[in-house]
Amino acid sequence: DADVTQTPRNRITKTGKRIMLECSQTKGHDRMYWYRQDPGLGLRLIYYSFDVKDINKGEISDGYSVSRQAQAKFSLSLESAIPNQTALYFCATSDFRQGAYGYTFGSGTRLTVV
Amino acid sequence: AQKVTQAQTEISVVEKEDVTLDCVYETRDTTYYLFWYKQPPSGELVFLIRRNSFDEQNEISGRYSWNFQKSTSSFNFTITASQVVDSAVYFCALSVYGSGNTGKLIFGQGTTLQVKP
């Protein structure tokens, strides 16, 4: 099994619908992140969480919300999806221990809002 | 504030050519990490290298090499004898380490590399 699992892998939804993207990890890392990728813009941070009770907005949080249900689970919600939220979404965890500083990414969720 | 710039949006080369992908970063912090990721057409992010700010030694891994120069705030990536399988989007990224840091990765815009047979 993958260390960071995102579901679904692909999703098409209609404008105005609520949708949840899920992320679970087996790395045991405290920190989790949600990124959005758009062509020509790289990946941009939506939300990040240091632990279950510590959730923070990233640079593009408008229109999104998150839930950290457990150390291993971090979900991203679009309350009312709009077409410009069509993008590739990545979940990631991080490890900052000495010598191990790095990130583990999920395989991504390709979301299309029509 | 931190920033990563990949000025080359798209590069097209013919197989076996050498190609260098540029990355320029901005940060006032003294302790940071730089990364390169590859994103093939399948979409996943593949980790290529991590370099910390105290290690300016260049690195070579097979056909890949990286040149880190703090004097010019650059961390360039060279592929020698490119192959069609190298066709992908490549991202350079920066993470700042220190008190209060979020640990977030700041990505460049990405460079799309097309290697033609």
Side-chain angles (χ1 to χ4, degrees):
Chain A
D1 290 340
D3 294 325
V4 179
T5 302
Q6 292 185 233
T7 56
R9 290 296 309 275
N10 293 280
R11 179 73 180 268
I12 300 174
T13 192
K14 294 183 177 181
T15 298
K17 292 291 187 181
R18 183 179 188 275
I19 182 171
M20 178 181 290
L21 309 182
E22 298 186 345
C23 176
S24 63
Q25 54 123 340
T26 58
K27 301 288 288 185
H29 294 164
D30 290 330
R31 298 191 183 195
M32 298 186 73
Y33 309 81
W34 274 103
Y35 285 89
R36 165 180 171 161
Q37 181 185 352
D38 298 279
L41 296 178
L43 281 75
R44 293 177 293 167
L45 184 64
I46 306 172
Y47 271 95
Y48 60 100
S49 171
F50 289 173
D51 63 39
V52 174
K53 297 182 179 180
D54 189 350
I55 294 177
N56 305 276
K57 293 182 177 180
E59 55 184 308
I60 54 165
S61 59
D62 287 349
Y64 302 94
S65 62
V66 291
S67 173
R68 185 84 183 263
Q69 302 95 323
Q71 187 207 33
K73 295 183 180 294
F74 193 35
S75 300
L76 176 72
S77 294
L78 287 67
E79 296 301 326
S80 179
I82 56 178
N84 77 0
Q85 291 178 314
T86 294
L88 181 57
Y89 291 84
F90 286 100
C91 175
T93 70
S94 62
D95 183 352
F96 297 143
R97 290 173 298 163
Q98 184 70 23
Y101 196 103
Y103 301 81
T104 303
F105 283 87
S107 297
T109 295
R110 195 169 296 276
L111 176 66
T112 303
V113 183
V114 298
Chain B
Q2 296 89 27
K3 185 179 180 182
V4 176
T5 301
Q6 294 178 256
Q8 304 152 307
T9 304
E10 294 184 15
I11 300 175
S12 181
V13 300
V14 176
E15 204 169 24
K16 297 183 183 178
E17 286 185 15
D18 298 347
V19 58
T20 295
L21 282 61
D22 297 332
C23 173
V24 174
Y25 64 93
E26 297 175 26
T27 180
R28 293 182 177 181
D29 297 85
T30 58
T31 304
Y32 51 89
Y33 288 80
L34 295 164
F35 298 79
W36 275 95
Y37 288 89
K38 174 182 180 179
Q39 186 178 47
S42 54
E44 75 273 19
L45 289 170
V46 178
F47 167 77
L48 296 177
I49 190 172
R50 176 192 70 221
R51 175 66 72 218
N52 74 54
S53 54
F54 298 108
D55 183 3
E56 287 193 74
Q57 194 171 20
N58 292 331
E59 182 158 337
I60 298 174
S61 177
R63 296 184 296 107
Y64 295 170
S65 63
W66 291 269
N67 180 263
F68 176 29
Q69 292 193 342
K70 289 177 73 172
S71 60
T72 56
S73 297
S74 65
F75 187 43
N76 296 337
F77 172 33
T78 297
I79 302 174
T80 302
S82 60
Q83 300 176 2
V84 173
V85 294
D86 295 327
S87 297
V89 181
Y90 291 86
F91 291 101
C92 180
L94 166 71
S95 178
V96 172
Y97 181 86
S99 61
N101 89 87
T102 64
K104 66 180 180 180
L105 265 178
I106 300 140
F107 285 84
Q109 303 91 322
T111 297
T112 300
L113 174 64
Q114 183 182 34
V115 181
K116 299 178 181 178

